[in-house]
Amino acid sequence: MASKLKGVKKSTMTNQQRKLLCEYKRDHQGCTQQDLVQWVDKTFDLKVSQGTISNTLKRSSEFLSANFDKDGSFKRHKAAKYPDMEKVVYEWFLQHQERVNITGDLIIEKAVEALNLLYPQDSSEHKLSQGWLEKFKLRHGIKSYRRFGESGSVDIHDMENKLESIREKINQFPMKDVFNMDETGLFYRLQADHSLATKQLEGRKQDKERLTIVICCNEDGSEKIPLWIIGKYAKPRCFKNVNMNSLDCEYRANKRAWMTGLLFEEYVRWLDDQMHGRKILLVVDNCPAHSNNIQGLQNVELFFLPPNMTSKIQPCDAGIIRAFKMYYRKRFYRKILEGYELDISSPEKINVLDAINLAVSAWRNVKQESIANCFRHCKIRSANPTDSNDLNDVNSGEDIRELENLITGMHYRHKMDVNELVDYPGENNECYKVQSIEEIMADTIQNSVDDEVDDDSVPLEPVTRKEALQAATTLHNFLLQYENAVPQLLSAMGRFKDELNKDLKFTKKQVTIDSFFTRPS
């Protein structure tokens, strides 16, 4: 029999819905109770009173710490005794579940191993019971499943049948509500130089500092989800004095700048929250980091592509990522040329903040038509007579020629072919690797502690409002003289100055005659 929370008025809300309400309030502290009434109406199609909201929030801690069975019954459980250990073991589980048959004994063995690494001084006391195992499985939605067939193998003759089942699923959603998400490695300082020599030449070594970029967009190309960017450092020095909310992306970090199961789950829950009651289908590949047991999603339905078919039917792999990288490289080489003009030493050695700004701008440049063509090319929706599979706007044309001209202008000794640069060998191979418990711990636990890191970037110098206004005036005057200036640029500069003036605070006191005299002692 479902238990009731004392003091909560009866309503049509289920316990699970009440928990989701408390989670939403926790993540959106600025929401008023009236806002939450409207959120419940929009999300669950339920009319509730403000009193219902108030009474639910009073018991928020109980709902947030609760588990619910399928029938909605309410059952509290104790918080994990070793949350850091459980985080490591869960990440290990996500990475290995596709590769080996994982038993309860194996989970306990890895949990003890993690405890010994976390608390070596108490290693003799680390023993875990079957009771802990059951609670761990409950907390993380782990259940027992029987394996069918041969893992990871796909009969090439069966691909068309699988494609039909994919189309059947995708046809249930309108094009604007079908999204594809994928991650890619980005060597953000890579130069297009193939110079050969008998020894290392100064400045010629390929810099393969890497970020992982998470790209997501919908089928008709009308929506590009803000990038998630994964770096090696939680707080690089170049982030100092930076308002991270202004970057139009989300930044995360681990020691190897990889996608992990925990990060994937965080991403999906973040996307679920962004949809605000809109139901979407998120198509992803079968990468081991992509967990398929994420509980409690309200707006996002995960759909996993069959193994070994990703390269043929995933839209992001069909040209969307390639287009993004092409625009990134163009902006990177323009920045180098700009650095030479400004007499900047080693302008090619950009920092993470520079790379993020270039990546965000490159993502904006990817055209809606290019995205829609990539989805059509993969044929994951039933054919339409008007469909075109033309990828010319993604793989060639004016943008490619402009990138080639930029590379030529760099005067490299042996310039790299533009197609090889955009699809650089090995760049995507390092997005994800299976890790040991020790490696997972270094990424998951230590990275969250090491906020200050010894990277090679320098902090962003603070800019005062006065300096910003002077720079804006200089730029405005330049635009008045620039022969290629358009009214939109001048208008944008005017809006920028208006925004600066909104924050002006007149704190100086009125000067009086007393100010010119000193009080006699």
Side-chain angles (χ1 to χ4, degrees):
M1 181 177 176
S3 58
K4 305 290 183 182
L5 287 180
K6 294 180 180 179
V8 178
K9 294 176 78 173
K10 290 184 179 180
S11 77
T12 53
M13 291 182 70
T14 66
N15 285 331
Q16 181 66 36
Q17 288 168 341
R18 293 178 192 273
K19 179 176 181 178
L20 292 170
L21 170 66
C22 294
E23 290 175 346
Y24 184 83
K25 174 61 177 176
R26 178 195 62 196
D27 298 335
H28 301 79
Q29 294 294 330
C31 281
T32 65
Q33 291 187 5
Q34 194 57 46
D35 292 335
L36 294 175
V37 169
Q38 295 174 6
W39 180 82
V40 169
D41 186 13
K42 183 177 179 181
T43 305
F44 306 121
D45 194 24
L46 294 176
K47 303 288 185 184
V48 296
S49 67
Q50 190 170 333
T52 299
I53 300 295
S54 176
N55 288 332
T56 300
L57 294 180
K58 286 177 184 177
R59 311 302 292 269
S60 179
S61 60
E62 294 189 45
F63 278 114
L64 291 174
S65 63
N67 260 356
F68 297 101
D69 297 331
K70 289 182 179 179
D71 62 355
S73 59
F74 179 78
K75 183 171 66 176
R76 281 178 289 170
H77 59 76
K78 293 182 179 178
K81 185 177 180 180
Y82 302 108
D84 286 344
M85 175 273 285
E86 291 206 5
K87 191 182 295 185
V88 171
V89 174
Y90 182 55
E91 178 63 37
W92 171 87
F93 176 86
L94 292 176
Q95 293 190 17
H96 290 81
Q97 63 177 334
E98 298 287 340
R99 291 171 166 77
V100 296
N101 291 322
I102 297 181
T103 63
D105 290 339
L106 186 55
I107 292 176
I108 290 177
E109 178 186 324
K110 291 298 177 182
V112 172
E113 183 181 339
L115 281 174
N116 289 339
L117 290 169
L118 281 168
Y119 312 105
Q121 67 278 9
D122 303 324
S123 57
S124 60
E125 302 176 8
H126 296 148
K127 295 179 182 179
L128 296 171
S129 65
Q130 287 294 320
W132 170 84
L133 175 64
E134 293 306 315
K135 290 174 183 175
F136 172 80
K137 288 159 61 179
L138 183 64
R139 278 190 285 267
H140 297 284
I142 298 173
K143 299 177 182 178
S144 178
Y145 295 95
R146 181 182 175 188
R147 288 181 180 267
F148 292 93
E150 207 172 319
S151 175
S153 63
V154 173
D155 184 353
I156 193 69
H157 301 294
D158 193 41
M159 284 184 63
E160 190 59 36
N161 291 334
K162 292 185 182 300
L163 196 52
E164 283 302 319
S165 65
I166 292 170
R167 290 169 183 155
E168 185 179 339
K169 180 65 178 179
I170 287 177
N171 288 342
Q172 298 174 18
F173 290 78
M175 293 176 66
K176 66 182 180 64
D177 292 334
V178 175
F179 287 76
N180 179 216
M181 168 268 190
D182 196 16
E183 54 273 315
T184 181
L186 178 68
F187 296 149
Y188 62 90
R189 293 174 178 167
L190 182 68
Q191 295 203 60
D193 191 358
H194 257 335
S195 295
L196 300 177
T198 57
K199 63 179 182 179
Q200 180 61 57
L201 300 176
E202 184 66 27
R204 295 297 185 185
K205 183 178 180 181
Q206 286 290 16
D207 192 329
K208 294 185 179 179
E209 277 296 306
R210 180 176 49 80
L211 297 170
T212 292
I213 312 293
V214 183
I215 282 176
C216 183
C217 51
N218 67 347
E219 187 177 353
D220 63 7
S222 60
E223 276 184 80
K224 292 182 285 187
I225 301 300
L227 297 177
W228 272 45
I229 299 177
I230 306 169
K232 291 183 179 179
Y233 306 109
K235 291 184 179 178
R237 288 195 185 97
C238 57
F239 283 5
K240 189 175 181 181
N241 302 318
V242 174
N243 173 15
M244 298 299 290
N245 293 327
S246 69
L247 295 180
D248 196 22
C249 72
E250 294 287 327
Y251 180 81
R252 299 293 185 272
N254 57 58
K255 297 291 184 182
R256 292 166 180 80
W258 288 342
M259 171 59 79
T260 66
L262 292 171
L263 276 179
F264 176 75
E265 181 169 342
E266 183 185 358
Y267 179 88
V268 174
R269 293 193 183 282
W270 171 85
L271 183 61
D272 188 71
D273 188 54
Q274 300 300 305
M275 290 298 111
H276 303 296
R278 172 185 168 195
K279 304 296 183 183
I280 68 166
L281 185 71
L282 182 62
V283 180
V284 295
D285 62 30
N286 247 310
C287 164
H290 295 169
S291 170
N292 60 1
N293 60 345
I294 301 175
Q295 306 289 319
L297 298 176
Q298 295 297 304
N299 306 312
V300 173
E301 181 179 346
L302 282 168
F303 184 72
F304 292 87
L305 295 173
N308 303 335
M309 292 180 66
T310 300
S311 60
K312 296 183 181 297
I313 63 173
Q314 177 158 235
C316 281
D317 281 346
I320 296 171
I321 288 175
R322 190 178 194 278
F324 161 76
K325 288 187 175 182
M326 177 186 64
Y327 289 118
Y328 178 88
R329 302 294 180 205
K330 282 171 59 176
R331 289 183 171 275
F332 174 61
Y333 291 119
R334 285 177 188 158
K335 188 170 181 64
I336 294 178
L337 292 170
E338 174 189 305
Y340 289 145
E341 188 173 349
L342 297 174
D343 295 323
I344 296 174
S345 176
S346 302
E348 73 283 353
K349 197 171 183 181
I350 63 174
N351 58 36
V352 173
L353 181 60
D354 295 328
I356 287 174
N357 286 324
L358 294 176
V360 169
S361 297
W363 184 226
R364 290 196 194 107
N365 289 146
V366 177
K367 302 180 182 71
Q368 178 176 348
E369 309 81 57
S370 299
I371 293 172
N373 279 345
C374 288
F375 271 87
R376 284 195 291 267
H377 177 77
C378 291
K379 301 179 181 178
I380 56 175
R381 184 180 289 275
S382 296
N384 187 312
T386 62
D387 281 353
S388 166
N389 293 321
D390 184 16
L391 294 181
N392 287 338
D393 63 324
V394 179
N395 296 318
S396 62
E398 223 175 286
D399 292 313
I400 287 288
R401 284 193 294 273
E402 184 181 346
L403 177 57
E404 194 159 19
N405 291 336
L406 282 168
I407 294 171
T408 301
M410 302 298 296
H411 302 294
Y412 290 120
R413 183 175 301 185
H414 296 289
K415 71 172 185 176
M416 192 182 298
D417 177 75
V418 65
N419 292 303
E420 185 177 359
L421 176 67
V422 175
D423 296 319
Y424 191 80
E427 195 169 38
N428 289 333
N429 295 345
E430 304 208 30
C431 286
Y432 179 84
K433 289 182 179 177
V434 175
Q435 301 169 277
S436 66
I437 283 286
E438 292 88 344
E439 290 171 328
I440 293 172
M441 189 170 298
D443 283 351
T444 307
I445 305 302
Q446 295 174 13
N447 199 78
S448 63
V449 175
D450 299 337
D451 285 340
E452 298 299 329
V453 294
D454 189 21
D455 67 333
D456 58 359
S457 61
V458 295
L460 190 69
E461 289 294 326
V463 179
T464 66
R465 182 182 285 106
K466 180 180 178 181
E467 290 170 332
L469 285 169
Q470 289 172 336
T473 300
T474 301
L475 185 54
H476 181 268
N477 292 339
F478 170 77
L479 289 173
L480 289 174
Q481 305 167 43
Y482 183 48
E483 62 180 15
N484 292 327
V486 293
Q488 290 88 336
L489 285 174
L490 284 164
S491 176
M493 184 53 57
R495 290 197 301 273
F496 170 69
K497 293 181 73 173
D498 289 344
E499 192 65 32
L500 283 178
N501 288 326
K502 281 181 185 177
D503 293 333
L504 285 176
K505 296 175 182 177
F506 298 97
T507 57
K508 293 183 179 179
K509 294 181 179 179
Q510 178 69 40
V511 177
T512 65
I513 194 169
D514 294 337
S515 304
F516 297 96
F517 299 95
T518 55
R519 186 182 297 275
S521 55

